[in-house]
Amino acid sequence: MELPQSTPALLAVQLNQRATVIAGLTEKWSASQAMIELHEGGPSGHSTLLHLVNVTRTTQAALDLPPPFSDKLDTWDQVRFSFRSLAKGLSEQISGITLESLEAPPAIEIVDDFKNSLTTRHAFLLGHVFHLAYHAGQLGSLATLINSKEK
């Protein structure tokens, strides 16, 4: 693989890598397995992936990128498809973004807790990359739990 030659290209690779891990962890789960909670009252694979669909749309809005059509999210398969589609689209959009655009302020209102840290679209996007990694860890823990229940 060739090394990314620009900041947007590096960000696109990072987004794609994390989305690939998340999709790989969840691709073979049944709808019932996706509902297993990491701990009582904690996140399930379904709720986590649905959350990632929503935050990916928020990230697109913060970067002033056109969002794709809104998918139906009634079933586990629809949630998985939507995540993969949105993640791929965001990665492709980012690879073509300019450095000037990344230095602009986010195109959405930032909640008070993050106003001082998410002052640019670049910072917002880096937060999204970190956020995906965090949830990949949760999903990895869920995969371990699901595999242990199958034995």
Side-chain angles (χ1 to χ4, degrees), residues 27-47:
E27 73 181 337
K28 293 185 180 179
W29 293 354
S30 67
S32 61
Q33 287 172 319
M35 296 306 291
I36 294 172
E37 296 175 335
L38 187 54
H39 52 81
E40 188 175 334
S44 66
H46 187 103
S47 67

Side-chain angles (χ1 to χ4, degrees), residues 36-140:
I36 294 172
E37 296 175 335
L38 187 54
H39 52 81
E40 188 175 334
S44 66
H46 187 103
S47 67
T48 300
L49 217 53
L50 189 57
H51 167 69
L52 291 176
V53 164
N54 291 326
V55 298
T56 301
R57 290 187 180 285
T58 301
T59 299
Q60 287 173 308
L63 300 171
D64 203 20
L65 297 171
F69 65 93
S70 188
D71 297 329
K72 287 184 84 175
L73 300 173
D74 298 330
T75 68
W76 171 237
D77 286 337
Q78 289 169 334
V79 171
R80 282 188 318 180
F81 175 80
S82 185
F83 172 75
R84 287 191 312 265
S85 174
L86 283 167
K88 181 179 183 210
L90 178 59
S91 180
E92 289 170 357
Q93 288 172 313
I94 293 306
S95 65
I97 204 167
T98 66
L99 287 174
E100 294 78 26
S101 179
L102 284 175
E103 293 312 311
I108 61 172
E109 184 71 27
I110 303 298
V111 296
D112 288 339
D113 288 347
F114 297 106
K115 276 192 192 267
N116 294 328
S117 60
L118 299 181
T119 57
T120 66
R121 294 174 188 190
H122 191 181
F124 197 99
L125 187 55
L126 288 173
H128 184 66
V129 169
F130 177 80
H131 195 191
L132 288 172
Y134 169 80
H135 286 298
Q138 280 185 326
L139 293 167

